[in-house]
Amino acid sequence: MEQELFYYYSWESVPDRMIPNIFAEFKANGVEHLVFSHVWATRLLCEPSFFAPLMTMARKAGIRLGAVHAPWGAAFDLNCSDMARRKGLIGDHKTAMGYAADAGCRTYTIHVGAYSWVMEHVPLERLRGLAIDTLEKLLPEAEKLGLVIAVENSYEPPNSAGEVAGLVSKFDSPNLGCCFDTGHACLMAPFPGKKREKYFSEIDDAWWNGLVETADTFEKMKHSIVTAHLHDNDGYSDAHALPGRGRIDWKKQIAELRNCPRLISLQTEVRTIPAALPVKTLAETFRAILNER
């Protein structure tokens, strides 16, 4: 059985009145499945009345919203070290998970977090304990709603493949897995001739205690991967570029992902704005790498 592909769009740049137009553009290009954006998930926390019209717009366009990305950032990270915020964080994620389940989503992608590490240099051991505590509180809700929480790898030490895989392995739960981010894995992978000084500036902030590249991100995560973010880069910046515009061997990458025993879905995560990327180009590119007509 082929896993469904959900398409990401830069909804933060789109006014509400244009949402049906973008939905129609996807539909006209043969795309019916779109990622339930973190932009919408975050908005619903303070504007619950947005859910009904959003779902109505999707239904009328023949679009299914799925594979939700959770609200993210310092106030929503699994390892948030602001103790006054943590109770609200748990409640907000449970609310967002409820909307995700009502929309028909199966996975809930979430970040471990980097703010406390980068800005405050909170030790990894402390952050790891906070992330575990958050997951312990969210997993019962995921089980009740039939969602799988998918913890995403990124390019900072608390979000490294080893940390993500380690967090997931602490729990023996079918409602917890990994979201494998291809671009973040590419960014952190060494390659012949790669030069430390060419990395984008965020790497210096993230690896203030010394850069450690990771050659085997996929291997560390593969047994727990339930969904994946598909985008490309040159190995030096988090460009979220279209496949074929970076270093990733997509034939190999897609084959590896399709062999993951727990894989539920795939997701594009290419920036469409401000790249002025046509929906047609996006759809044609992903059909090509997935060998679909």
Side-chain angles (χ1 to χ4, degrees):
M1 177 181 175
E2 294 292 330
Q3 286 76 27
E4 291 175 322
L5 175 67
F6 292 87
Y7 282 76
Y8 167 91
Y9 199 79
S10 302
W11 294 108
E12 65 274 14
S13 303
V14 178
D16 289 357
R17 67 183 182 276
M18 288 296 296
I19 292 174
N21 298 67
I22 305 300
F23 283 172
E25 192 67 26
F26 273 106
K27 185 72 172 181
N29 283 279
V31 174
E32 298 180 352
H33 297 157
L34 300 184
V35 171
F36 195 111
S37 172
H38 71 277
V39 174
W40 297 331
T42 306
R43 178 176 174 178
L44 287 168
L45 297 178
C46 59
E47 191 183 342
S49 61
F50 176 63
F51 184 72
L54 175 64
M55 297 308 297
T56 297
M57 287 185 282
R59 177 179 52 78
K60 287 183 176 179
I63 293 295
R64 175 187 167 199
L65 302 177
V68 69
H69 196 304
W72 61 273
F76 298 100
D77 291 338
L78 288 175
N79 63 13
C80 174
S81 61
D82 180 347
M83 301 310 292
R85 165 62 186 154
R86 287 187 59 79
K87 182 177 180 180
L89 176 155
I90 300 299
D92 283 347
H93 277 302
K94 287 182 177 180
T95 297
M97 289 164 70
Y99 284 118
D102 285 349
C105 299
R106 296 180 62 195
T107 59
Y108 185 83
T109 298
I110 196 167
H111 291 184
V112 180
Y115 181 88
S116 296
W117 167 263
V118 172
M119 303 303 295
E120 301 170 356
H121 293 192
V122 176
L124 277 179
E125 184 176 358
R126 164 94 173 129
L127 294 175
R128 191 179 302 127
L130 291 168
I132 290 170
D133 177 72
T134 305
L135 288 172
E136 286 176 343
K137 291 178 170 63
L138 293 182
L139 270 172
E141 191 73 9
E143 293 167 5
K144 182 178 76 174
L145 296 171
L147 286 172
V148 181
I149 297 172
V151 186
E152 178 183 346
N153 62 296
S154 193
Y155 50 82
E156 307 91 353
N159 300 304
S160 68
E163 284 292 322
V164 169
L167 285 174
V168 173
S169 71
K170 295 284 186 185
F171 301 85
D172 181 19
S173 173
N175 296 92
L176 181 64
C178 296
C179 172
F180 175 68
D181 189 292
T182 61
H184 297 161
C186 177
L187 175 60
M188 294 312 301
F191 59 80
K194 192 171 190 179
K195 297 179 181 179
R196 171 70 177 83
E197 64 272 16
K198 290 185 68 175
Y199 272 109
F200 75 147
S201 60
E202 289 184 25
I203 291 295
D204 292 326
D205 297 332
W207 293 89
W208 48 265
N209 63 335
L211 176 65
V212 178
E213 294 176 330
T214 307
D216 59 348
T217 294
F218 179 78
E219 292 299 314
K220 290 179 184 294
M221 298 174 65
K222 66 181 182 181
H223 296 296
S224 299
I225 293 172
V226 295
T227 191
H229 288 164
L230 309 181
H231 57 104
D232 214 335
N233 62 61
D234 62 0
Y236 290 111
S237 64
D238 189 23
H240 286 258
L242 200 66
R245 298 183 183 179
R247 296 189 56 84
I248 296 175
D249 179 342
W250 285 99
K251 183 176 181 180
K252 178 175 182 286
Q253 185 71 88
I254 295 300
E256 289 177 336
L257 282 167
R258 283 176 166 161
N259 283 324
C260 291
R262 295 186 60 196
L263 188 66
I264 295 171
S265 65
L266 299 170
Q267 306 174 47
T268 79
E269 209 177 51
V270 175
R271 292 193 181 113
T272 52
I273 301 173
L277 183 64
V279 169
K280 181 180 180 181
T281 301
L282 187 70
E284 289 178 347
T285 300
F286 278 97
R287 287 193 187 108
I289 69 168
L290 292 172
N291 295 316
E292 295 179 352
R293 296 188 180 185

